[in-house]
Amino acid sequence: MLAGKIMLVSGAETYRVEDTMSRIADAFGAPDAQSYATPTAINFSVDFASETKFLRITKRSTADLHKIAEVNSISRRITAGDLDLGNAYTLLKNVENDKHYPAWLQIFASALVSGCFSIMFGGTWNDFLPAVIAGGIGFTGMLGFERFLEIRFLAEFFGAFFIGLSSLLFISYGFGDSLDLVIIGAVMPLVPGLLITNAVRDLLAGHLIAGVSKGIEALLTAFAIGAGVAIIYTFL
């Protein structure tokens, strides 16, 4: 369940979470292991007649593929018989508590990616730096509001709002050529690409509840981003 929690919180597909949990249970000789995961909860039982364990997932990150890869690596070592139960649990706890991407690194990467997306979508080099700054401001705002607001969609709304506001100010003072391309590049780090991908993969794998719920979450996230930018356009 710890392995499943780490993967689910880090943005793994639901079917991958269930498969990893089942493989670990089988490797340790658990009879008739049954796992069922949704984006917000994990159910697991070792035997049909035993009690079912339930774990609530209250908060999920955008993505931490490094942690997913580490859990997969630990799962393979367990399956191969290289780890006993105690050592496997210790390694998983270390993965859970490890902070690979501090906030400043996420902001820096988001800012740089924003400028690159602006150029990729047809912007000029004059739009690169405004997109970098606007993207950094927006992502910082999203992370800041996410700490105080339990509703993630509001954090993404305010992040997009700051992007639109800063981009409008930059263009108004002649810092950049195209308002549209600066905003488009800056909002790309907020776009729920991972959610959309996982929703499709879960649907194709037959996990209809998880796939539909992730698709709706991606839709609401996209709506929040669009609404945040649209408010700025109402003042043009």
Side-chain angles (χ1 to χ4, degrees), residues 1 12 21 25 35 41-42 52 60 77-78 104 118 121 137 154-155 165 178 187-188 194 198 223 227:
M1 292 191 73
M21 293 173 63
S35 59
I42 295 176
T52 299
R60 301 183 304 278
R77 293 179 62 187
I78 293 173
W104 68 267
S118 179
F121 287 131
I137 292 174
L154 290 179
L165 179 61
S178 174
V187 299
M188 286 304 295
L194 181 70
N198 285 352
F223 176 79

Side-chain angles (χ1 to χ4, degrees), residues 161 163-173 178-181 183 228-236:
F161 175 81
I163 288 174
L165 179 61
S166 58
S167 300
L168 178 61
L169 292 176
F170 291 154
I171 298 299
S172 299
Y173 286 97
S178 174
L179 176 62
D180 293 345
L181 294 175
I183 291 178
V229 174
I231 289 181
I232 299 301
Y233 270 89
T234 60
F235 296 101
L236 293 179

